[in-house]
Amino acid sequence: MNRPSEPLEPVDAMSAHDSAARRATDQIDPYALIERAEKLINTEPHDAVVFALRAQSVARARTADGLMARAHFIAGSALMQVGDWSGAIRQLSQAELVYRAQQDVASQGKVNILLASACCELGEYGEALDGFAEVQKLARQHQDYAGVRRALVHQSTVHTILGDFEAARESLKSALELPSGTAADEGMVVLQSGLVDASEGLRAALAGDGDTVMRRMADAEDHFVVALELLTGSADRANAIAARVQLGAARCWLGKFNEGIADLNAAVVEATQSGFRLREVQAKLELGYHLVGAGREHEGLAIWAPALIQAEELGDLRRPADSHQQLSALYEARGDFQLALFHHKRYVEVKTRLDGRLSTQRARLHEARAELHKLRTQTAALHQKTRDLEQSRSRLERLSLEDELTGLANRRAFTKELESWCARARAGTLRFGLVVADIDGFKQINDRYSHLTGDSVLRQLGSVIRANLRDTDFAARLGGDEFALLLADSEGGAAMAVVERLVDAVRQYSWAEVDSAMQVTVSIGLCESADFGDSSELVRRADESLYAAKRAGRDRVHLWNGSA
């Protein structure tokens, strides 16, 4: 049954807010839809698009961004197979947006290669080259050499289309200089090397330059033989078939007719058995052309004509146009000008249809890009809003755990941290010291100077505490002039050494900014985690030690030793 070659329209989108649609999609496995679409890309690309669009509807209803991106990617890949380049760009651009937001560099690179390839098919070669260069840059930054290699191969393809064979070979030389990849990766590079040689040979054939044809086709044959060896048995069956097709064609050009026809027949059989319909069409068109060229016209046209129809059914007008052009040149060389004219007219007709389709798709592409620009602007604004909200949330969370005056942790944060340290102590992984401290005679400071001066003293004391603790310690202001410290690794008198240093630092600190005659001291109670049953008991004993330091004359440390 003939399938339309025009772009498929998406099915009605399911709203994520529509509960009925949500219930319906809950019964559908989107992963199964995507896997089925993925398997059909090379064999039934139209069906692959349908399944990918259904998967998008389900993913949209479930607000599953990653799933949605994958469905867009597969739909775009399938649309490229049927020649709907603008539709492919729409789908792939949606996938690229998600992968960019997720910082999935590998997936982003694969999408961008297809986007640049679609631009190439639409004749926007400059944009395609820019796209492949961007993919290389991104892949090199993340040492993704496979991604760099793919981009260089595609870049070589663009140069080949433009007839710049030297630049095409330079791109492939750069690809070969990269660290070794898989056999399929290496085979892809060698295959493209052969395609550059064959393309130059075909251009020479149209110009009647027989010497260049033979020289370049001989080089192409060597490359295709190596590519076939590398690709055979790899997962890249599509390119393995392509290598055999090109090898057969090169051998026919070189006069190795029987070998070439055998290769082309083998490629047709393998493509048909594998379900690779585009590769099957390519092999049949080459086989039919070379049979006609060998004088077996009836046999060749019997294969070539149905393949031409099949290609158009699949949405491929480029190969039929090229095939008519080749046959026109062949008949002209034979002096059969009537058939040469016939195929030239068919070439012009198909090429006109192809150009018209590409023109329409370019117009759609410009519309899609306008929509994409709008979407990217909206997405960027949404992401910025999300970042602002996240920063606000983080700030509020920080403020909820921070003492505004001193910048130390507050009581809430201290309680949470103490429970965590106590749990580690009970597990035997930590021994720590708990310190409770307050300022000696702080009420008199407030009464004599002012509460603003008292706040200044508290603020500067917070700085002194921070400066005299280790990175592993924790400090908090519990309220008023009361502070608490958690001192890690308290064995061997380490905790006592820290707090004695702190008491001395406060005693020696200059309070001249407040008043030249001001003296500030602190009293400290210290209790070690080895001496407690639970956190409340530890706090009680540290408080009792603080009171003992006060009674003993202040400006000192009292270590809990079984009694206050």
Side-chain angles (χ1 to χ4, degrees):
M1 184 178 72
N2 290 356
R3 290 188 174 86
S5 59
E6 290 305 308
L8 294 171
E9 295 297 326
V11 296
D12 292 340
M14 299 182 185
S15 170
H17 304 290
D18 187 340
S19 59
R22 178 62 183 267
R23 285 194 299 273
T25 58
D26 283 344
Q27 307 303 315
I28 301 174
D29 181 1
Y31 294 98
L33 289 173
I34 286 176
E35 288 175 7
R36 190 166 182 184
E38 206 163 22
K39 290 177 181 177
L40 292 171
I41 287 176
N42 288 310
T43 57
E44 296 290 343
H46 288 88
D47 293 342
V49 174
V50 172
F51 283 112
L53 292 176
R54 287 179 61 192
Q56 287 178 32
S57 296
V58 179
R60 187 180 298 111
R62 299 184 184 182
T63 61
D65 287 347
L67 196 62
M68 175 75 78
R70 189 177 169 198
H72 278 299
F73 176 74
I74 293 170
S77 302
L79 286 168
M80 288 187 69
Q81 293 283 59
V82 299
D84 183 2
W85 312 113
S86 62
I89 289 173
R90 275 180 189 270
Q91 294 289 332
L92 294 168
S93 296
Q94 295 290 336
E96 196 269 345
L97 273 177
V98 177
Y99 289 137
R100 183 192 296 251
Q102 294 176 341
Q103 296 183 330
D104 185 344
V105 175
S107 297
Q108 194 178 336
K110 291 177 182 177
V111 172
N112 285 337
I113 280 182
L114 290 185
L115 280 169
S117 298
C119 288
C120 177
E121 293 291 347
L122 286 172
E124 300 190 353
Y125 301 117
E127 187 167 347
L129 289 173
D130 289 343
F132 293 133
E134 187 61 31
V135 172
Q136 289 178 56
K137 179 180 177 182
L138 188 65
R140 286 184 190 277
Q141 287 174 353
H142 293 81
Q143 296 185 328
D144 176 14
Y145 298 117
V148 178
R149 188 178 287 107
R150 283 193 298 271
L152 285 166
V153 168
H154 285 283
Q155 180 177 288
S156 172
T157 301
V158 180
H159 288 309
T160 302
I161 292 171
L162 294 172
D164 190 347
F165 302 114
E166 184 177 348
R169 292 188 176 95
E170 282 298 318
S171 296
L172 295 172
K173 181 182 176 183
S174 298
L176 290 172
E177 290 171 351
L178 294 169
S180 297
T182 64
D185 288 341
E186 301 296 328
M188 176 179 62
V189 178
V190 179
L191 173 59
Q192 180 58 30
S193 297
L195 289 170
V196 174
D197 293 330
S199 296
E200 190 172 356
L202 289 173
R203 180 165 293 196
L206 291 173
D209 183 356
D211 291 340
T212 301
V213 172
M214 299 303 290
R215 187 172 65 256
R216 287 308 179 200
M217 287 300 176
D219 292 339
E221 180 188 19
D222 292 340
H223 281 123
F224 293 139
V225 167
V226 175
L228 189 58
E229 289 175 357
L230 290 167
L231 292 165
T232 299
S234 73
D236 193 355
R237 296 186 66 187
N239 271 336
I241 296 170
R244 190 173 292 281
V245 171
Q246 296 299 334
L247 176 60
R251 282 174 170 169
C252 287
W253 278 104
L254 290 168
K256 301 176 182 180
F257 183 74
N258 290 335
E259 292 178 72
I261 293 299
D263 285 323
L264 290 170
N265 275 314
V268 170
V269 171
E270 188 176 352
T272 303
Q273 291 176 346
S274 304
F276 291 166
R277 300 181 67 199
L278 285 171
R279 295 297 188 214
E280 179 188 348
V281 168
Q282 179 188 11
K284 286 181 176 178
L285 288 174
E286 287 287 350
L287 177 60
Y289 169 77
H290 287 290
L291 285 170
V292 171
R296 294 159 61 176
E297 190 162 350
H298 180 74
E299 182 184 354
L301 291 177
I303 296 171
W304 179 85
L308 208 65
I309 296 171
Q310 191 179 5
E312 295 201 27
E313 286 179 355
L314 292 171
D316 183 1
L317 293 179
R318 194 179 301 280
R319 283 196 179 91
D322 292 343
S323 193
H324 279 297
Q325 186 181 31
Q326 284 182 320
L327 279 178
S328 177
L330 174 63
Y331 284 121
E332 184 181 1
R334 287 181 179 176
D336 191 339
F337 299 110
Q338 185 175 356
L339 281 176
L341 180 60
F342 169 78
H343 284 288
H344 179 72
K345 287 180 177 179
R346 292 287 292 143
Y347 160 72
V348 172
E349 177 191 337
V350 178
K351 186 70 165 55
T352 300
R353 287 167 54 202
L354 175 61
D355 291 342
R357 179 185 295 180
L358 294 179
S359 179
T360 301
Q361 291 195 29
R362 288 190 196 99
R364 289 176 179 163
L365 176 60
H366 292 310
E367 293 175 5
R369 282 177 174 158
E371 292 176 12
L372 181 62
H373 177 72
K374 181 179 178 181
L375 181 59
R376 280 180 172 164
T377 302
Q378 292 173 343
T379 303
L382 181 61
H383 285 166
Q384 184 58 49
K385 186 176 181 180
T386 302
R387 286 192 293 269
D388 291 344
L389 289 172
E390 180 63 24
Q391 289 175 357
S392 297
R393 187 195 64 77
S394 299
R395 182 172 177 274
L396 289 172
E397 183 177 318
R398 179 175 56 80
L399 291 175
S400 71
L401 299 174
E402 183 180 287
D403 175 55
E404 186 176 0
L405 183 63
T406 62
L408 302 177
N410 60 16
R411 180 182 289 275
R412 178 184 174 192
F414 170 76
T415 302
K416 181 179 178 181
E417 194 73 12
L418 175 62
E419 291 301 329
S420 173
W421 286 45
C422 286
R424 291 163 61 193
R426 283 191 291 271
T429 61
L430 176 68
R431 180 171 176 177
F432 69 93
L434 169 63
V435 170
V436 178
D438 70 11
I439 299 174
D440 298 325
F442 185 66
K443 184 177 183 303
Q444 285 76 16
I445 292 175
N446 279 333
D447 292 345
R448 178 179 176 182
Y449 296 98
S450 71
H451 284 282
L452 287 176
T453 301
D455 287 348
S456 179
V457 169
L458 291 170
R459 190 180 301 110
Q460 293 183 54
L461 180 59
S463 299
V464 174
I465 290 173
R466 270 195 300 273
N468 286 276
L469 293 187
R470 301 162 299 179
D471 292 340
T472 54
D473 299 330
F474 182 86
R477 178 186 173 217
L478 302 183
D481 65 322
E482 188 177 4
F483 295 82
L485 313 176
L486 297 174
L487 307 177
D489 303 324
S490 61
E491 292 91 340
M496 178 61 77
V498 171
V499 291
E500 286 181 340
R501 184 173 68 246
L502 176 60
V503 168
D504 187 60
V506 175
R507 187 185 301 129
Q508 299 298 325
Y509 189 78
S510 171
W511 301 92
E513 289 184 13
V514 181
D515 187 285
S516 58
M518 177 178 285
Q519 290 290 321
V520 176
T521 60
V522 293
S523 296
I524 288 179
L526 170 62
C527 181
E528 293 198 359
S529 59
D531 305 322
F532 81 106
D534 57 28
S535 58
S536 59
E537 182 182 355
L538 188 62
V539 170
R540 179 179 60 79
R541 290 180 175 181
D543 279 337
E544 290 179 1
S545 297
L546 172 63
Y547 298 143
K550 294 283 189 183
R551 288 194 298 271
R554 303 179 179 178
D555 188 20
R556 67 194 64 219
V557 181
H558 187 281
L559 174 65
W560 170 267
N561 56 7
S563 68

